[in-house]
Amino acid sequence: MREIPGRRRRLLFQRSDGRPELIGAALTYATEWQWPVLPGVAADPQGHSRCSCPDPDCTVPGAHPFDPGLLAATTDERMVRWWWSNRPTAPIVLATGGKAPCAVSLPALPAARALEALDRAGMRLGPVVASPTRWAILVKPYSMEQLGELLYAKDFVPGSLRFHSEGGYLALPPSGTGQGEIRWERAPLPGSASPWVPDVEAVVDAVVEALTRTGVSAPEF
């Protein structure tokens, strides 16, 4: 079923009191969708825009793996339950690539305008993850060789595009990070199996064309 353009569905994984239930979301990703996840490092409690990791210049505060490291990502139910039972507020981090989706991300404002252009063009998109500063379009797994060939064939690729492929990661809803709340801009259909995602070629082609056609300047950050 095609996502309904411009319509945001109710946040998945809410408790009866309206607060996000991270363990329920993590279990859905891992056991139902077979997406390997792990808990992210928390934001610094003394300054939520900072990270609690040792890097004072961390660019993704609270939205990356640290302990355990990325290689620990798993779909094992017992491990996921143990992690979030002990760290119930930990962000949920997806290990991208392999059998899990990859992603293409860009700054929030040009992303919103690009999605509007894609909707008008009838482009089918899968889930889109949003933070206050960047949006990430989930795509089918791709290799670095495949990505390199795709970008080489382009006359122009906005420098602000980021590619989350094998060996990469992405914070998933409903995580809270130093960058703010992670939410669904385009949510998967409730109760569905692993969500449908498009090919990376279609997304990169469409995003670059939309940004170029609409004259949107995507700053490099």
Side-chain angles (χ1 to χ4, degrees), residues 10-218:
R10 182 180 61 85
L11 179 66
L12 300 181
F13 318 121
Q14 285 186 335
R15 305 189 319 188
S16 58
D17 61 5
R19 295 174 59 191
E21 185 181 53
L22 289 160
I23 189 171
L27 287 168
T28 294
Y29 298 139
T31 63
E32 296 183 24
W33 298 355
Q34 291 297 294
W35 292 2
V37 298
L38 75 163
V41 63
D44 186 340
Q46 302 302 317
H48 292 294
S49 63
R50 300 195 303 268
C51 193
S52 61
C53 75
D55 183 0
D57 300 317
C58 181
T59 58
V60 283
H64 66 89
F66 178 64
D67 183 19
L70 185 62
L71 293 178
T74 185
T75 59
D76 181 76
E77 179 179 355
R78 292 174 298 176
M79 193 73 246
V80 172
R81 285 189 182 278
W82 187 86
W83 276 333
W84 272 275
S85 293
N86 287 278
R87 299 169 57 183
T89 62
I92 304 168
V93 175
L94 168 70
T96 54
K99 294 183 179 180
C102 291
V104 177
S105 71
L106 65 162
L109 179 58
R113 293 178 178 173
L115 260 62
E116 289 175 359
L118 298 182
D119 286 338
R120 289 195 297 270
M123 170 76 184
R124 183 187 181 191
L125 293 175
V128 177
V129 176
S131 77
T133 57
R134 295 187 71 86
W135 292 8
I137 303 170
L138 299 187
V139 297
K140 292 179 182 177
Y142 56 83
S143 67
M144 293 307 295
E145 292 79 9
Q146 181 183 4
L147 178 63
E149 292 177 0
L150 173 62
L151 299 183
Y152 183 77
K154 293 289 180 191
D155 294 327
F156 167 75
V157 177
S160 60
L161 286 181
R162 294 179 187 167
F163 300 92
H164 308 256
S165 58
E166 186 147 12
Y169 58 86
L170 185 70
L172 293 176
S175 302
T177 74
Q179 299 170 312
E181 179 188 356
I182 307 298
R183 60 177 178 81
W184 293 113
E185 175 62 26
R186 301 286 175 89
L189 295 175
S192 63
S194 184
W196 177 89
V197 292
D199 291 326
V200 66
E201 293 92 344
V203 167
V204 172
D205 288 347
V207 167
V208 170
E209 180 181 352
L211 292 177
T212 303
R213 186 174 64 249
T214 58
V216 173
S217 175

